[in-house]
């Protein structure tokens, strides 16, 4: 049976009210975990008020 390790990473959005993403920076973050063997399995935002996003949460897994 396969065994898995999981990692949750929170990425802060920018801007006065949040919601702005530096795409190159976010992609670099995702790639850095991918190079370490982590597979992205879920990605979602945390809503603050009327659709504004404060954080993006990425969930990864890899075999142990």
């Amino acid at each position: 049976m396969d065994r898995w390790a999981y990692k949750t990473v929170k990425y802060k959005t920018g801007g006065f009210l949040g919601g702005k993403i530096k795409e190159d920076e976010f992609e670099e973050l995702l790639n850095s975990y991918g190079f370490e063997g982590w597979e992205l399995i879920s990605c979602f935002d945390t809503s603050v008020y009327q659709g504004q996003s404060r954080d993006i949460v990425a969930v990864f897994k890899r075999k142990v």
Side-chain angles (χ1 to χ4, degrees):
M1 178 191 309
D2 292 334
R3 294 179 57 204
W4 302 94
Y6 294 90
K7 178 179 283 297
T8 302
V9 178
K10 190 185 299 184
Y11 176 81
K12 293 274 188 200
T13 60
F16 178 67
L17 297 174
K20 300 217 183 238
I21 301 170
K22 294 179 182 175
E23 292 177 24
D24 292 339
E25 185 180 286
F26 186 60
E27 185 176 299
E28 186 177 317
L29 174 74
L30 296 176
N31 281 329
S32 70
Y33 284 101
F35 290 138
E36 293 176 10
W38 293 98
E39 177 184 1
L40 180 67
I41 58 171
S42 183
C43 191
F44 56 92
D45 68 331
T46 57
S47 183
V48 177
Y49 178 72
Q50 294 185 346
Q52 297 169 350
S53 298
R54 183 68 64 198
D55 302 310
I56 295 174
V57 179
V59 181
F60 298 86
K61 74 174 185 179
R62 72 176 173 187
K63 285 187 181 180
V64 291

